[in-house]
Amino acid sequence: MILDKVNSPEDLKRLSLEELLLLAEEIRSEIIRVTAQNGGHLASSLGAVELVLALHRVFDSPRDRILFDVGHQAYAHKLVTGRKDRFHTLRKEGGISGFTKVSESPHDAITAGHASTSLANALGMVLARDLMGEDYHVVAVIGDGALTGGMALAALNKIGELQKRMLIVLNDNEMSISENVGALNKYFKELQIRKWVQDAEKLGKNILERISPQLFGLVDRAKEAAKLLLHQENPFYAWGIRYVGPVDGHDLKGLVHILEHLKALDGPTLLHVVTKKGKGYKVAEADPIYWHGPPGFDPKKPEKVSKGYTWSQAFGDAVTELAHMEPRLFVLTPAMREGSGLVRYSLEHPERYLDVGICEDVAVTTAAGLALRGMKPIVAIYSTFLQRAYDQVIHDVAIENLPVVFAIDRAGIVGADGATHHGVFDIAYLRTVPNLQIAAPKDALELRAMLKKALEVGGPVAIRYPRDNVERAPEGVWPEIAWGKWEVLKEGTEAYILAFGKTLKYALEAAGDDPRVGVVNARFLKPLDREMLRALSRYKLLTVEDHQRMGGFGSAVLEALNEMGLKPEVQVLGLPDRFFEHGAIPSLHRQAGIDAEGIRKALAAMGVAVVHER
Ligand SMILES: CC(=O)c1sc(CCOP(=O)(O)OP(=O)(O)O)c(C)[n+]1Cc1cnc(C)nc1N
Ligand SMILES: [Mg+2]
């Protein structure tokens, strides 16, 4: 195999073009083989194979810095930068990350996972390079989806002004996870089909260049005019960024040729490459949405596998039904239609659905605008991605106590996506926000009850639920819920476990049938059920949550006890003050000590050693 001879990008420079083309196919097979075993971002990485090889052929990583936005399309990059022997550990505990990661390789220019960070990162790098008098290239590869992020567009604005030498490669496959959205996306599509724009531009430039040099000023002005005429709406020119393209992102020879030329240019250049998401694997080309991030599959007979009924689907079913009952309900997603369980809702209520693109800040503040004008918006958003819209939650929603519901999916440890994606900070960053109420349902029925009530209580409400399967709740059933009240699931004589959200099942498992240990579904964090807390304060208390220990549910309980002047023995179980890498959720929970075993250990340390039949 040619891949056997490739241990660094240097080795790519010694290959013939034919060998490079063969290598591309070997890399595709390896990506398919390992993703079939481990799961992962198959379609994105298959679509970027030629682009990655061309970049590493032309540039000199790690001296030159090649950044991959989101970093999920970089499997070929990992394979040619010395990690092919570890590639089979992709996304596994202790294995290599599914995204680029600075601590994993000198070839990984940024640690990524969240979209739209590459351009600002690249800007920082070129500023440092020039200030230190160093000389290397900085190349940022950004997808059309990631380019819908405000960070990326704002960075372009600054890059165009500063005119620093850098290359931006727009990897345009017209897809985010779902179909991409936005005016830029529409424009790129037109650019690709409006061949005449390219021909006219070529013709226009030839004619202009033949005008005699004496008329140099005129030529220059004419060129500017031609540019405006031919590209008047090309935003990159408006941003002061040289635009080249669109070119075929799978034509390895052509890409190498163009990159060699662009390498010599000064100032910022954007190369627009058109790729096919899932390229080279029929099922992934045909359905890049499912094959964006499949769980494992049989590479010989690739079929979609059902992940079972999830919290996301329970949410999607609930809001779809609610929207039939509440005409003012409006659901927004920042580019996560499938992930947030909104496919059915988007089909049944297209007029009250909006995918804003990868811009969580826009999603939240658009919801604020909807609420200000009488609608009842629900922002469906992953915990980790809500981090992108923290100021918007405070400034645009909470201060005016607007009725916006945040349906926070993937709350807690999420598994193979790792540290950039675990949703373990939202309680801490939300509970200090005045007016904002926070709840966590124990099952799909309680989720339905909370969603319905949240639309009635007024003000902003955050409802968080985990990446997990859940038992389906019957359609049409909307149980009542005592808002702000906890629920005793098991009485105890010595200690009570106060569990918030997903950890409730661990608490019930840990308590078993030991009469000394009670279990409370502490489903409301704000408002906290102080009445029940006061009543339980005569027992030993153990709080447990799938969230950072610092600032989480346990902290809220301690603060409330302190304010009430109560001093029971309390243990707080949560994630320790460090990042958790990728791995299986149960294993990471065990490491964090928040699973049934960890709870039993904590109870034993409090003198309540639960007898547990193995
Ligand atoms: C991995 C992950 O979490 C991805 S990959 C992806 C689509 C990126 O589209 P792009 O066109 O940039 O790349 P492509 O897959 O090659 O088409 C999204 C929305 N997400 C979720 C997401 C949401 N919001 C933010 C801030 N970051 C991420 N990563
Ligand atoms: Mg894309």
Side-chain angles (χ1 to χ4, degrees):
M1 295 245 288
I2 295 168
L3 185 56
D4 295 340
K5 294 190 289 188
V6 176
N7 296 301
S8 90
E10 261 319 293
D11 299 328
L12 293 182
K13 296 171 172 53
R14 286 188 275 277
L15 298 179
S16 68
L17 182 68
E18 288 62 37
E19 286 176 316
L20 263 184
L21 293 169
L22 277 174
L23 176 65
E25 291 323 304
E26 288 177 11
I27 283 179
R28 271 201 170 83
S29 310
E30 182 62 357
I31 289 172
I32 292 165
R33 182 183 74 83
V34 172
T35 315
Q37 285 166 354
N38 300 12
H41 293 99
L42 176 68
S44 311
S45 283
L46 288 177
V49 170
E50 283 79 16
L51 176 57
V52 166
L53 291 181
L55 286 168
H56 278 303
R57 167 82 165 207
V58 172
F59 292 96
D60 303 313
S61 174
R63 173 183 152 73
D64 293 336
R65 306 311 286 156
I66 303 176
L67 294 73
F68 292 93
D69 203 288
V70 185
H72 66 314
Q73 77 288 57
Y75 292 177
H77 162 78
K78 295 208 172 205
L79 282 164
V80 299
T81 53
R83 284 167 278 185
K84 65 174 188 282
D85 299 333
R86 285 187 292 148
F87 191 63
H88 67 283
T89 68
L90 182 76
R91 296 162 53 90
K92 292 289 182 206
E93 196 162 328
I96 61 172
S97 165
F99 303 94
T100 57
K101 199 172 173 58
V102 172
S103 52
E104 186 177 288
S105 164
H107 294 280
D108 287 7
I110 58 173
T111 293
H114 283 198
S116 321
T117 64
S118 64
L119 301 189
N121 255 309
L123 176 58
M125 291 179 190
V126 296
L127 287 168
R129 173 195 66 195
D130 295 356
L131 273 173
M132 295 179 184
E134 292 171 335
D135 181 18
Y136 51 85
H137 291 277
V138 175
V139 182
V141 179
I142 184 167
D144 56 305
L147 193 62
T148 60
M151 270 190 80
L153 301 174
L156 278 177
N157 189 28
K158 203 60 199 168
I159 287 165
E161 178 201 345
L162 295 178
Q163 289 297 304
K164 294 283 182 186
R165 171 168 56 94
M166 64 191 285
L167 175 63
I168 299 163
V169 180
L170 169 60
N171 175 18
D172 180 11
N173 53 24
E174 297 179 33
M175 295 298 291
S176 186
I177 295 178
S178 351
E179 302 79 9
N180 198 6
V181 297
L184 264 183
N185 174 53
K186 200 162 143 289
Y187 169 66
F188 294 146
K189 273 198 183 112
E190 282 172 21
L191 254 198
Q192 290 172 40
I193 49 173
R194 266 172 40 195
K195 196 79 192 67
W196 63 269
V197 169
Q198 306 299 321
D199 300 343
E201 183 187 10
K202 260 195 220 99
L203 178 69
K205 282 187 177 167
N206 293 341
I207 295 170
L208 284 173
E209 261 136 29
R210 274 206 295 282
I211 291 173
S212 68
Q214 294 92 308
L215 302 176
F216 191 69
L218 180 66
V219 167
D220 236 11
R221 281 206 303 279
K223 267 191 183 171
E224 282 316 306
K227 225 188 259 184
L228 266 181
L229 169 77
L230 294 171
H231 287 280
Q232 57 190 0
E233 80 280 19
N234 185 323
F236 300 109
Y237 281 96
W239 269 312
I241 295 168
R242 180 187 299 110
Y243 169 89
V244 176
V247 300
D248 177 354
H250 298 298
D251 169 9
L252 192 43
K253 187 174 173 215
L255 281 173
V256 170
H257 176 73
I258 290 171
L259 289 169
E260 288 291 6
H261 278 74
L262 298 185
K263 193 176 169 182
L265 296 181
D266 215 343
T269 304
L270 182 133
L271 173 62
H272 179 186
V273 301
V274 176
T275 60
K276 177 90 181 139
K277 193 161 182 176
K279 178 78 177 176
Y281 199 50
K282 280 203 177 11
V283 284
E285 289 191 19
D287 181 0
I289 295 178
Y290 176 82
W291 297 95
H292 167 85
F297 56 94
D298 173 353
K300 296 248 178 326
K301 219 165 133 286
E303 284 164 351
K304 296 184 191 181
V305 290
S306 154
K307 302 173 193 168
Y309 192 72
T310 63
W311 278 97
S312 311
Q313 284 163 297
F315 163 70
D317 289 341
V319 280
T320 303
E321 285 180 54
L322 268 177
H324 287 297
M325 298 145 56
E326 172 49 81
R328 290 170 300 168
L329 195 150
F330 192 105
V331 175
L332 303 100
T333 175
M336 300 303 285
R337 178 183 66 196
E338 283 73 17
S340 297
L342 289 171
V343 173
R344 178 186 164 198
Y345 178 90
S346 67
L347 296 172
E348 288 193 30
H349 306 286
E351 77 293 348
R352 286 184 285 149
Y353 165 77
L354 187 68
D355 174 355
V356 294
I358 312 179
C359 43
E360 288 75 10
D361 45 0
V362 172
V364 173
T365 303
T366 302
L370 283 155
L372 281 167
R373 304 306 300 152
M375 296 297 285
K376 291 191 172 264
I378 296 181
V379 179
I381 192 163
Y382 287 21
S383 163
T384 188
F385 300 138
L386 181 56
Q387 293 162 194
R388 277 284 173 87
Y390 186 41
D391 181 55
Q392 288 73 18
V393 170
I394 297 171
H395 180 269
D396 302 320
V397 175
I399 289 178
E400 291 299 344
N401 201 21
L402 297 180
V404 174
V405 174
F406 298 94
I408 301 179
D409 199 337
R410 282 16 177 230
I413 290 280
V414 295
D417 279 342
T420 53
H421 283 63
H422 294 317
V424 294
F425 306 103
D426 59 278
I427 296 174
Y429 68 70
L430 291 176
R431 75 182 184 86
T432 52
V433 180
N435 297 333
L436 183 63
Q437 303 185 72
I438 303 171
K442 71 168 185 281
D443 56 24
L445 258 181
E446 211 161 68
L447 173 62
R448 292 167 74 89
M450 287 182 175
L451 278 170
K452 185 164 185 298
K453 194 79 178 173
L455 295 174
E456 296 157 12
V457 294
V461 176
I463 299 171
R464 78 188 303 259
Y465 43 91
R467 177 175 183 269
D468 201 356
N469 287 355
V470 70
E471 198 182 318
R472 189 188 290 263
E475 296 231 347
V477 174
W478 298 98
E480 276 306 311
I481 188 164
W483 194 259
K485 293 295 170 205
W486 292 348
E487 179 191 30
V488 176
L489 295 182
K490 179 174 180 292
E491 298 289 346
T493 57
E494 281 189 46
Y496 272 84
I497 307 168
L498 311 179
F500 189 65
K502 167 152 194 177
T503 52
L504 184 62
K505 69 180 184 185
Y506 291 141
L508 290 166
E509 187 190 332
D513 53 9
D514 190 317
R516 295 171 297 166
V517 182
V519 177
V520 171
N521 169 20
R523 55 197 177 179
F524 289 96
L525 186 148
K526 200 174 178 190
L528 209 63
D529 186 343
R530 289 176 173 238
E531 194 186 333
M532 185 179 289
L533 185 57
R534 178 181 293 281
L536 295 178
S537 63
R538 56 199 169 95
Y539 300 97
K540 294 175 179 175
L541 299 178
L542 176 66
T543 69
V544 59
E545 61 201 286
D546 186 3
H547 180 279
Q548 294 300 114
R549 189 170 177 281
M550 287 166 74
F553 166 67
S555 303
V557 167
L558 288 174
E559 289 160 17
L561 289 166
N562 176 262
E563 283 162 20
M564 296 190 284
L566 301 168
K567 297 189 176 13
E569 184 182 351
V570 185
Q571 274 297 321
V572 174
L573 292 185
L575 305 184
D577 184 20
R578 67 174 176 85
F579 287 105
F580 276 73
E581 298 305 342
H582 44 281
I585 293 175
S587 166
L588 297 178
H589 280 165
R590 193 174 320 111
Q591 279 178 42
I594 60 169
D595 63 351
E597 192 188 325
I599 294 171
R600 274 195 293 275
K601 265 200 200 123
L603 285 169
M606 297 170 85
V608 186
V610 172
V611 175
H612 166 64
E613 298 77 47
R614 276 240 163 262

